[in-house]
Amino acid sequence: MSETNDNIKKTDVLIVGAGPVGLFAVFELGLFDMKCHLIDILDRPGGQCAELYPEKPIYDIPGFPSISAQGLVDNLMEQISPFKPEFTFNRMVAGLEKQADGSFRVTTDEDEVFEAKVVVIAAGGGSFQPKRPPIPGIEAYEGNSVFYSVRRMEEFRGQDIMIVGGGDSALDWTLNLQPIAKSLTLVHRRPEFRAAPDNVNKMFALQEEKRLDFQIGQVTALAGNDGRLHSATIKGPDGDIEVPVTRLLPFFGLTMKLGPIAEWGLNLTENLIHVDTEKFETSVPGIFAIGDINWYAGKLKLILSGFHEAALMAQAAKRIVSPGERIVFQYTTSSTSLQKKLGVA
Ligand SMILES: Cc1cc2nc3c(=O)[nH]c(=O)nc-3n(C[C@H](O)[C@H](O)[C@H](O)COP(=O)(O)OP(=O)(O)OC[C@H]3O[C@@H](n4cnc5c(N)ncnc54)[C@H](O)[C@@H]3O)c2cc1C
């Protein structure tokens, strides 16, 4: 467990990004007894694999002739479970500062503070950020009435909620928020959805029972004042309708942006972080970068490259977390001490 002290969470290694490479880093660091806390802006682990192509088979993971991207993430989560990593989802790592004692202070966009002896940036192509829908004036309501993710469900209780989109996020949140909403309207351009069929069926069943309202169309205008939304206009096949709305959740997909990492004073080329190939350390000692986010001569943006980088990074991180401790090279097949850590001996 990370220690909590005056609301500052302390851990050995803070990992920015819970994509496949950040997840595997927990394993390699765990074998050396280092505790990890991972922060990701997404609401679940898996990075690109979970967000962009969960059902596609991957054919170049060593030892797996074929494995779905989500299957790989599920296996990684099982593989790292003996090390009990902690996760903070739905948060962007915003600030990173080196302290006088050499440790790092990391802050999120919700002002949570973490302290770690080592920081591993496994941020892939950058943080996934929501696409803003083309609704005139929507910016004025963002943060008060318009949200692109649900961080605290309580903010939606008793509200007139409108959800826009036809993918998994739109349908998941329709089903999760409907029981606590005053009213819920789901808006999608057409009656076909990209979401899991079971959730689509549940949504249509709730519509039959008049517990939510599904509208085909597009949101074309918002009305309200002082950043607080009162209503939205939907342009549908039968013309315009105005619906009371106090919370709008558009799910129009995500783009990847490097975000605050660009401001951390690291040596970058075209948004990639320079590292050495011995330790995968950045230009700032104690900060490592592994996976798609790093650059070195010959770099290949492959999951297996990130796994290799994680193994070498862990050795170097151990020297920082436990200075002076001897590092012994061991195989998991034959080391009883490693097997104990994995809970198999
Ligand atoms: C369609 C497709 C198919 C692919 N097929 C293959 C394949 O067959 N084989 C293969 O090896 N590779 C494949 N790849 C590439 C592979 O997915 C990437 O190499 C891999 O995901 C990189 O892992 P990562 O952990 O470095 O980064 P990512 O998977 O990008 O994860 C990084 C995570 O960091 C988070 N993050 C970033 N910045 C912040 C921040 N400031 N705060 C909080 N969180 C942050 C992001 O939200 C993200 O979840 C494919 C990619 C795509 C898009």
Side-chain angles (χ1 to χ4, degrees), residues 17 19 21 40-41 47-48 53 58 60 93 123-124 126-128 291-292 302-303:
V21 176
D40 203 298
I41 197 163
Q48 294 176 47
Y53 61 108
I58 308 179
D60 58 353
V93 175
S127 53
F128 283 98
D292 277 13
L302 285 175
I303 295 167

Side-chain angles (χ1 to χ4, degrees), residues 161-308:
I161 302 173
M162 177 176 280
I163 295 180
V164 191
D168 281 316
S169 298
L171 268 287
D172 278 356
W173 284 115
T174 296
L175 300 180
N176 279 310
L177 292 174
Q178 182 277 328
I180 62 166
K182 182 174 167 201
S183 70
L184 192 143
T185 311
L186 173 67
V187 183
H188 185 42
R189 282 173 291 125
R190 43 177 206 267
E192 295 81 32
F193 290 85
R194 282 171 286 110
D198 187 41
N199 282 349
V200 176
N201 293 339
K202 283 183 186 153
M203 186 279 292
F204 279 124
L206 287 169
Q207 190 199 19
E208 281 283 298
E209 294 166 19
K210 300 205 179 332
R211 288 160 67 191
L212 61 77
D213 183 26
F214 168 52
Q215 291 285 341
I216 298 174
Q218 280 172 298
V219 178
T220 51
L222 302 175
N225 40 42
D226 294 335
R228 315 242 164 235
L229 201 54
H230 300 156
S231 65
T233 305
I234 304 168
K235 189 181 175 63
D238 304 322
D240 286 356
I241 55 164
E242 199 174 328
V243 179
V245 179
T246 54
R247 292 283 182 274
L248 177 67
L249 272 167
F251 291 109
F252 278 54
L254 300 165
T255 54
M256 290 179 91
K257 291 197 178 133
L258 183 61
I261 294 173
E263 318 297 322
W264 294 348
L266 303 169
N267 195 358
L268 297 177
T269 301
E270 290 181 4
N271 284 345
L272 297 171
I273 304 173
H274 281 230
V275 288
D276 63 62
T277 48
E278 181 195 341
K279 302 181 298 238
F280 300 94
E281 199 167 28
T282 67
S283 52
V284 177
I287 304 181
F288 297 82
I290 56 174
D292 277 13
I293 192 79
N294 74 12
W295 184 88
Y296 51 86
K299 167 74 183 184
L300 289 178
K301 285 191 185 182
L302 285 175
I303 295 167
L304 70 86
S305 313
F307 288 173
H308 159 79

Side-chain angles (χ1 to χ4, degrees), residues 3 67 71 87 98 108 123 131 134 149 154-155 158 165 180 185 207 215 224-225 227 265 267 279 288 301 309 336 339:
E3 293 168 42
I67 183 166
F87 291 91
K98 193 162 190 159
T108 69
K131 288 188 189 158
S149 63
E154 276 310 300
E155 285 179 355
I180 62 166
T185 311
Q207 190 199 19
Q215 291 285 341
N225 40 42
N267 195 358
K279 302 181 298 238
F288 297 82
K301 285 191 185 182
E309 293 158 15
T336 321
Q339 288 165 3

